[in-house]
Amino acid sequence: MNVKDFYFDLPQELIAQDPLTDRAASRLLVLDKDTGAIQHKTFRDVTSYLRPGDCLVINDTKVIPARLFGVKTETGAKIELLLLKRREEDIWETLVKPGKKAKPGTVVSFGDGLLTGRILDTVEDGNRLIQFHYEGIFEEILDQLGQMPLPPYITHQLKDKDRYQTVYAVHEGSAAAPTAGLHFTKELLEKIQSMGVKIARVTLHVGLGTFRPVKVDDVLDHHMHTEFYQVEETEATKVNETKAAGGRVICVGTTSCRTIESAAGEDGRLKAGSGWTDIFIYPGYQFKLLDCLITNFHLPESTLVMLVCALAGREHVMAAYAEAVRERYRFFSFGDAMFIY
């Protein structure tokens, strides 16, 4: 399976740079995964495709302001840091730019010394382990000094940090937002629940692997990065009861999908628990729990496009993407959405 099979031509101007004022006003391309039939709707119309007895699975991770700008204490040289994952209480795995200036033993100062960090080691992919030193509460300092880690294809400055969070974000730990969830408002979720649709919350802390390009020709040679997930017993029960009763499990975003597919047992039931997942879903994968997917439009040749193709078939997905380009849909994190059923 060649990575070029998942390429499509995307005009630069279709990459959304700013979120809409009204979250639920995005467009919605509805795709029948069996026939390839397409409908064009508004995101609020998603309720027309939900049924009593369905279960909507959402990822309640919260993005941390993980981008920090500092200077080397020895030379004053500028350094940019992106927090990827917490290894221990004050030790983080980070992405550092420029990497050549970030050798073990280097001390970096942020916010005129409000926060300092000593580089301990170089790990996989050239990432750095850094131990932070500070007085007070780390999360409060990070909120004061850090910026939201917007993807590299978004060049505009984000005016409101909350617009890169879902309205149901709770558990801090992501380096990127589960962007399909950005379309939901609290009112829309309440309407969905009032229809008799269960809402199950899971947590997957999104890492930068989401944005890493596939650099190998053969898709099967690609290595996924690990991300931490957690599924509570009450939420697993909602999903399992839905399946047992003949309802559909509808994931909001590829992260929710990867979480429940990672935590699914061989018996097709969702298991409560937590752990690290590097699940890679591409065409040929047999879904254990997922029936339908709400997702944004993804980068060409990305693992996310491959996941969508695994659900709806490469031909149907590529045709839908070509239609979205023709119809001038907005792409990527702040863009429009698809409902695949």
Side-chain angles (χ1 to χ4, degrees), residues 110-122:
F110 307 93
D112 295 324
L114 190 63
L115 178 70
T116 60
R118 179 181 292 275
I119 297 174
L120 303 179
D121 200 4
T122 302

Side-chain angles (χ1 to χ4, degrees), residues 224-266:
M224 293 286 283
H225 289 71
T226 59
E227 295 168 313
F228 180 80
Y229 75 88
Q230 185 157 0
V231 179
E232 299 291 348
E233 189 71 53
T234 53
E235 311 310 292
T237 298
K238 291 177 186 176
V239 172
N240 292 331
E241 286 179 350
T242 298
K243 294 297 280 190
R248 300 175 302 169
V249 172
I250 302 163
C251 283
V252 177
T254 56
T255 61
S256 300
C257 166
R258 292 178 65 244
T259 301
I260 66 169
E261 290 296 315
S262 297
E266 291 303 316

Side-chain angles (χ1 to χ4, degrees), residues 56-114:
L56 198 67
V57 183
I58 60 177
N59 180 9
D60 64 4
T61 188
K62 191 171 188 179
V63 185
I64 58 174
R67 180 163 273 129
L68 289 163
F69 296 90
V71 294
K72 286 177 63 176
T73 55
E74 288 183 9
T75 64
K78 293 180 179 179
I79 280 191
E80 179 183 339
L81 214 68
L82 186 64
L83 306 182
L84 298 179
K85 63 178 79 163
R86 187 178 237 144
R87 291 289 192 91
E88 297 174 38
E89 184 58 32
D90 290 321
I91 298 177
W92 285 75
E93 183 178 336
T94 66
L95 182 66
V96 181
K97 292 196 297 188
K100 290 179 181 177
K101 296 180 181 178
K103 294 174 181 172
T106 300
V107 177
V108 185
S109 173
F110 307 93
D112 295 324
L114 190 63

Side-chain angles (χ1 to χ4, degrees), residues 8 18-19 37 46 58 82-83 125 132 135 139 172 186 202:
F8 61 92
D18 302 290
V46 74
I58 60 177
L82 186 64
L83 306 182
D125 291 325
F132 288 107
E135 290 185 8
E139 285 74 17
E172 293 188 334
K186 289 181 178 177
V202 299

Side-chain angles (χ1 to χ4, degrees), residues 174-235:
S174 274
T179 53
L182 296 178
H183 302 284
F184 286 91
T185 63
K186 289 181 178 177
E187 294 76 17
L188 185 56
L189 285 169
E190 287 169 3
K191 181 178 180 181
I192 288 168
Q193 278 188 296
S194 71
M195 293 168 53
V197 176
K198 291 189 180 82
I199 295 181
R201 290 171 171 259
V202 299
T203 305
L204 182 135
H205 293 320
V206 188
L208 271 202
T210 301
F211 303 113
R212 287 191 188 278
V214 178
K215 295 180 178 178
V216 292
D217 290 333
D218 189 339
V219 168
L220 304 186
D221 293 334
H222 178 69
H223 170 66
M224 293 286 283
H225 289 71
T226 59
E227 295 168 313
F228 180 80
Y229 75 88
Q230 185 157 0
V231 179
E232 299 291 348
E233 189 71 53
T234 53
E235 311 310 292

Side-chain angles (χ1 to χ4, degrees), residues 22-37:
D22 179 359
R23 289 176 182 261
S26 297
R27 296 166 75 187
L28 182 70
L29 186 150
V30 182
L31 174 65
D32 183 325
K33 65 178 185 284
D34 295 323
T35 68

